[in-house]
Amino acid sequence: MTQQSSQLSAVNTAETHTAKAALSTKSVTLAYEDNVIAKDLTVDIPQGKFTVIVGPNGCGKSTLLRSLSRLLVPQSGEILLNGENIHHQSTREVAKKLGLLPQSAIAPDGIKVIDLVSRGRFPHQKWFQPWSEADQQAVELAMQATGVIDFAEFNVDQLSGGQRQRVWVAMALAQETSLLLLDEPTTYLDIAHQIELMDLFQDLNQIQGHTLVAVLHDLNHACRYADHLIMIKAGEIIATGSPNEIVTEALIEQVFGLSCLILSDPISNTPLIIPRGRKTAN
Ligand code: ADP
Ligand code: MG
């Protein structure tokens, strides 16, 4: 992870804003029929960075991710993937460039781990070509990276919530896309597995150059791992930039209605948010 200086000014977000966008929304309106979740929303996902999206429950994070991955068609505006309208590209084309780990993925009944992870290879396969060495290798590497190789022959529904989550991540990795969208990837994991997975994402970003977008609930993980943080409230972007640039007590109060104290995380020199809670608030 890039170690940001805590002295960066709160208004200077130029560094993250000048990076080329791998994916962006241009004035989109996102809605479920009449229920408008976000209006006139413009967001850039910078190429090669680790972007984290945070915001209260129901503010539209998953809706945004679904639109960025072409699952939800905006009522107006457009979504650009590598500069081109995502809805002018085929499902297979998009799936070669972009992988999504949905928030509540449900595995088909009775499917084995290895078979679920193998589904990540779908966009790379052609009907006239058999399962290749490259497919096999991608599946094995993905299972190794996520520590699920020992469960390869298990049924997915035999696994714990945490193990299952890692299988879904393996499926997304097997897809071998340069862009990965992860909706609450660390939910259900214990703290050690959360960090292990966040470190894996960081390696994918820093060593392999993947562009990552993750929705996270843990603000301290968000601050520690994000190069670029997007804070959303009620379908509106409230702040974007590196955590050291944008995170203040006032911002956390504004977005989450939470009174907190912000220290510097001694490991990463990023904001460490300590909730005051009702009993200790003054
Ligand atoms: P978040 O991920 O930030 O918790 P979501 O994007 O899931 O929020 O949801 C934003 C709003 O959209 C919520 O009010 C939710 O009830 C509504 N919503 C989400 N999915 C659907 C859906 N499939 N149909 C109708 N409304 C939905
Ligand atoms: Mg969500």
Side-chain angles (χ1 to χ4, degrees), residues 58 60-63 103 183-184 215 217:
K61 303 179 296 296
S62 296
T63 302
Q103 186 171 349
D183 200 347
E184 299 192 25
V215 170
H217 270 304

Side-chain angles (χ1 to χ4, degrees), residues 146-157:
T146 48
V148 298
I149 196 123
D150 292 344
F151 313 127
E153 296 299 323
F154 285 39
N155 275 347
V156 174
D157 45 27

